[in-house]
Amino acid sequence: MGSLESETPTSETVGEMPNRGSVENAEKRGEVDLNGTTNGPKKNRIRTALFYLPRIGFRCFRVQRDEKGNFDMEVVDGSVDRRKPTHLLIMVNGLVGSAEDWKYAAAQFLKAYPEDIVVHCSKCNHSTLTFHGVDVMGGRLAEEIVSVIERHPDVQKISFLCHSLGGLIARYAIAKLYEQDERKEDVKVNGECSNHGWSRDQSRKEEFKGKIAGLEPVNFITCATPHLGSRGHKQVPMCCGFYVLEKVAVCTSLFFGKTGRHLFLLDNRKCPLLLQMAGDREDLKFLSALQSFRRRVTYANVRYDNVVGWSTSSIRRRKELPKLKHLSGDSKYPYIVNVETAKLSSSQLYVPSEAKANGRKKIRLEEMIKGLSSVGWDRVDVDFHESKQRHAAHLTIQVNRYSVNSDGVSVIQHMIDNFLL
């Protein structure tokens, strides 16, 4: 797949595609814009790249990057009458990750749905910024999503695809954006724009009921996400189930800053943040925000994931995990070994009891499972046992880098085939 890169302003549509050879020659001189004309060097903050995709016709990817490293991807062609995508897909990276981690998956989603979706790969929480805590990162992601929506005013629906810690970040962000008509207010101070927070139009409250930042929530997909945290027996597989090593892991969590305390439930003895996120608070409706999505799904590694355990990533009690001998893949999805559709016993959301969970590890875990399970999840179990890349299962499930994680391709394809538009 060839690529053309240039420093250009944002463009809503692309006219007739230029001759690729002439564009490449001009691109070497640094004089290419989206329409293939030569304008001399430009120094704008948004960087746009075009990728030629022969498999989907005479179209290109348009990749827009900002100075922070975030990028949007959508398919463009020479058609003036082409309708603009109305579905925004937000991809969120995990611990010490970056927007580049989703590069392969983003391209595959756009190939499958070239006229329907815009993909935004977030990088507001990258590398060591992922040590700042789930709440801080969730707030940053919420602000970023609002700015993305402002750049794409035609979008009407929103979905999330998250890896590892990114699932927790996204869960916090959607609670911030739930039923909110939120806009950034840019006020000029000394000639410069300054963000003074959020504004809310009370008169439009009913219009935004059950929506995320004013958009219809559709898919909420997580892969290898520690929904129940990392504290507990076999929640961190690299400890091999040894209680001594699991206690050591709790101590080493301090190296990951506030995020480590959140993951190991050390931030609040009475009611840790992850326990709060298993229910609705007065100010943040965590469960209601999740319930608003038409589909919620967890992709969990059965084994060989040394970072996130099977039960925490699939939101199950250990006794509920399927037996390995009963699991097997098929020819289309060789590493998808089990799929369970959502089961809801009641439409009423569970309210975790802080009093019961106060300082009691097992009860806290049970309360989180009850709370999160009350919204209903599709559970997809992945087993890379037959893969040479099995020891990198935590990254392979995402196809973090195609050259070394390519066996996760069938998992990404399963996500695409079951994606609701």
Side-chain angles (χ1 to χ4, degrees):
M1 181 185 297
S3 68
L4 305 176
E5 297 187 357
S6 62
E7 298 282 340
T8 68
T10 306
S11 175
E12 290 297 331
T13 60
V14 175
E16 183 178 353
M17 289 294 148
N19 178 274
R20 295 181 67 200
S22 63
V23 173
E24 288 172 354
N25 292 333
E27 189 253 347
K28 292 178 181 178
R29 301 192 301 270
E31 302 175 345
V32 180
D33 69 7
L34 280 176
N35 295 312
T37 58
T38 56
N39 300 320
K42 295 191 177 185
K43 296 181 180 180
N44 294 314
R45 291 185 178 181
I46 297 179
R47 184 186 184 192
T48 303
L50 298 181
F51 297 88
Y52 181 64
L53 297 178
R55 292 186 180 180
I56 61 173
F58 199 56
R59 295 171 176 171
C60 294
F61 282 154
R62 178 166 61 190
V63 182
Q64 296 179 340
R65 303 174 186 267
D66 62 20
E67 68 276 8
K68 295 181 180 179
N70 304 301
F71 63 86
D72 300 346
M73 295 179 67
E74 62 180 309
V75 172
V76 295
D77 57 23
S79 174
V80 177
D81 298 327
R82 177 180 176 270
R83 65 185 179 90
K84 295 178 181 178
T86 58
H87 198 145
L88 175 62
L89 174 58
I90 305 291
M91 294 187 173
V92 190
N93 59 270
L95 191 69
V96 297
S98 72
E100 296 294 327
D101 297 347
W102 283 115
K103 196 170 184 178
Y104 173 82
Q108 299 310 306
F109 267 90
L110 285 171
K111 283 183 181 180
Y113 306 111
E115 297 183 351
D116 299 297
I117 66 173
V118 175
V119 177
H120 174 75
C121 299
S122 169
K123 200 182 178 183
C124 65
N125 300 301
H126 65 91
S127 59
T128 56
L129 291 179
T130 57
F131 298 165
H132 291 180
V134 173
D135 52 351
V136 174
M137 292 185 289
R140 281 199 293 250
L141 178 60
E143 291 185 11
E144 183 182 22
I145 290 171
V146 172
S147 68
V148 173
I149 294 172
E150 290 175 348
R151 291 203 304 271
H152 300 279
D154 295 295
V155 295
Q156 301 170 7
K157 302 176 182 179
I158 189 168
S159 292
F160 289 81
L161 176 53
C162 318
H163 177 247
S164 193
L165 178 65
L168 297 177
I169 298 170
R171 280 173 50 196
Y172 196 96
I174 63 173
K176 295 272 289 184
L177 298 172
Y178 180 62
E179 295 188 344
Q180 301 294 314
D181 176 17
E182 301 192 0
R183 299 289 186 272
K184 284 187 177 180
E185 292 183 341
D186 292 329
V187 180
K188 286 192 175 182
V189 179
N190 296 327
E192 296 183 358
C193 287
S194 175
N195 181 13
H196 282 254
W198 308 104
S199 64
R200 181 174 180 177
D201 186 358
Q202 293 290 345
S203 64
R204 301 176 65 188
K205 185 176 180 180
E206 190 64 28
E207 180 184 347
F208 289 86
K209 187 175 182 180
K211 294 185 177 181
I212 303 296
L215 304 181
E216 178 189 348
V218 185
N219 304 275
F220 191 88
I221 306 169
T222 66
C223 55
T225 290
H227 288 284
L228 309 176
S230 301
R231 188 170 187 174
H233 189 45
K234 295 186 178 180
Q235 298 290 51
V236 181
M238 69 174 65
C239 296
C240 304
F242 294 112
Y243 288 100
V244 174
L245 293 180
E246 288 173 350
K247 289 182 179 180
V248 172
V250 173
C251 297
T252 58
S253 67
L254 300 177
F255 290 108
F256 299 103
K258 190 177 178 182
T259 298
R261 294 195 294 275
H262 284 157
L263 288 174
F264 285 87
L265 312 180
L266 299 173
D267 55 302
N268 185 325
R269 178 175 174 80
K270 182 178 180 181
C271 189
L273 178 62
L274 294 192
L275 178 58
Q276 297 177 42
M277 290 172 60
D280 279 352
R281 290 189 341 200
E282 185 176 347
D283 56 336
L284 293 171
K285 308 296 184 183
F286 294 108
L287 276 192
S288 295
L290 273 175
Q291 190 182 45
S292 67
F293 286 82
R294 287 164 54 190
R295 180 172 179 257
R296 294 156 300 280
V297 56
T298 65
Y299 284 79
N301 281 312
V302 171
R303 47 186 165 177
Y304 298 108
D305 188 325
N306 295 319
V307 182
V308 179
W310 187 9
S311 61
T312 186
S313 56
S314 62
I315 316 177
R316 292 186 181 110
R317 302 167 184 85
R318 293 203 61 81
K319 63 182 181 181
E320 295 174 338
L321 297 174
K323 301 297 182 182
L324 285 175
K325 62 182 180 180
H326 297 151
L327 304 179
S328 62
D330 57 34
S331 57
K332 186 175 183 180
Y333 311 113
Y335 302 112
I336 302 290
V337 295
N338 183 54
V339 178
E340 295 180 6
T341 55
K343 297 177 182 178
L344 281 175
S345 57
S346 172
S347 59
Q348 187 173 1
L349 296 178
Y350 182 78
V351 181
S353 172
E354 295 183 16
K356 287 182 181 179
N358 185 13
R360 302 176 183 178
K361 300 175 187 176
K362 291 185 179 180
I363 296 180
R364 280 191 307 205
L365 181 64
E366 181 66 20
E367 291 296 295
M368 284 191 286
I369 292 174
K370 287 181 178 179
L372 292 173
S373 297
S374 67
V375 299
W377 296 78
D378 291 346
R379 294 178 172 91
V380 181
D381 297 313
V382 181
D383 188 3
F384 291 109
H385 178 64
E386 301 296 331
S387 168
K388 293 181 180 179
Q389 301 167 1
R390 58 184 176 273
H391 294 294
H394 187 69
L395 300 179
T396 299
I397 197 173
Q398 178 198 20
V399 192
N400 186 281
R401 296 292 182 271
Y402 183 82
S403 58
V404 293
N405 306 120
S406 58
D407 283 352
V409 165
S410 62
V411 180
I412 299 298
Q413 190 59 50
H414 187 273
M415 296 177 184
I416 293 171
D417 292 344
N418 292 277
F419 190 80
L420 301 180
L421 291 175

